[in-house]
Amino acid sequence: MRKLKIAAAALCVCVLFTVAYAANAGGQNDPLVTLSYLNGAFTSQVKTMVNQTVNERQAQMEKSLNDILAGYSGGGSPSGGVFAVVTLGQGQTLVGNVGCEVMLRVGSATCSSPDSVGLIDTTSGGVLAGGQALTANHLYMVTINPRAVTAASGTVKVLVRGPYSIQ
């Protein structure tokens, strides 16, 4: 009988240790990952993080696109390889920054410059001084700030590539 009591007590001790060990399973000291955890909480956390990252990146891309598109609407043409058509009324002035290219398409316009070096006529290789008229279909480049093109007739259309402002 005594052996039976000792065996029962040993069995109880073993069961208690097993229950105590199982109660700590999956805790911080013993991380146990189950399929239900992966399908539930973990997947939800990953989806939230991915959605947040995608939304942040989308906002960055939209801001960049809006900045590029804002350059086409009167605030100056972007520095890329695209020409923008700009319409000037009589007396309006297009002031180009260094690197700006201008081509007169419709009407008449003059170069505005504080000194004798106005715009560079890249078509003929010459220099257009302040006060001189632009030649239609010639490509002019601004190489010194400030240089401008002033509309001399009612409606003037120019192609512009590069940074500019209208005054």
Side-chain angles (χ1 to χ4, degrees):
M1 234 359 181
R2 189 177 153 154
K3 286 184 181 182
L4 188 59
K5 287 182 182 180
I6 293 174
L11 181 63
C12 285
V13 169
C14 287
V15 168
L16 285 175
F17 278 121
T18 304
V19 169
Y21 181 74
N24 287 332
Q28 190 172 9
N29 295 335
D30 183 23
L32 178 67
V33 178
T34 63
L35 181 60
S36 62
Y37 173 75
L38 289 176
N39 289 336
F42 181 73
T43 304
S44 175
Q45 289 174 354
V46 169
K47 285 181 181 179
T48 301
M49 289 173 32
V50 167
N51 287 338
Q52 182 180 8
T53 304
V54 166
N55 290 339
E56 289 172 1
R57 184 66 182 136
Q58 180 180 0
Q60 289 173 350
M61 292 175 72
E62 285 176 357
K63 182 185 179 310
S64 296
L65 180 60
N66 288 335
D67 290 345
I68 290 169
L69 292 177
Y72 285 104
S73 59
S77 175
S79 60
V82 179
F83 279 95
V85 177
V86 176
T87 303
L88 301 173
Q90 186 169 4
Q92 277 190 310
T93 302
L94 182 142
V95 180
N97 293 339
V98 172
C100 179
E101 296 174 293
V102 179
M103 179 184 289
L104 178 65
R105 295 291 295 147
V106 175
S108 61
T110 59
C111 172
S112 299
S113 169
D115 54 38
S116 63
V117 178
L119 298 171
I120 304 299
D121 185 346
T122 59
T123 305
S124 68
V127 176
L128 189 66
Q132 289 185 324
L134 276 69
T135 304
N137 300 320
H138 277 224
L139 184 62
Y140 297 93
M141 179 180 278
V142 177
T143 58
I144 303 171
N145 282 334
R147 298 298 183 262
V149 173
T150 303
S153 63
T155 300
V156 174
K157 290 190 184 278
V158 292
L159 294 176
V160 182
R161 177 171 52 191
Y164 69 91
S165 63
I166 297 176
Q167 298 177 353

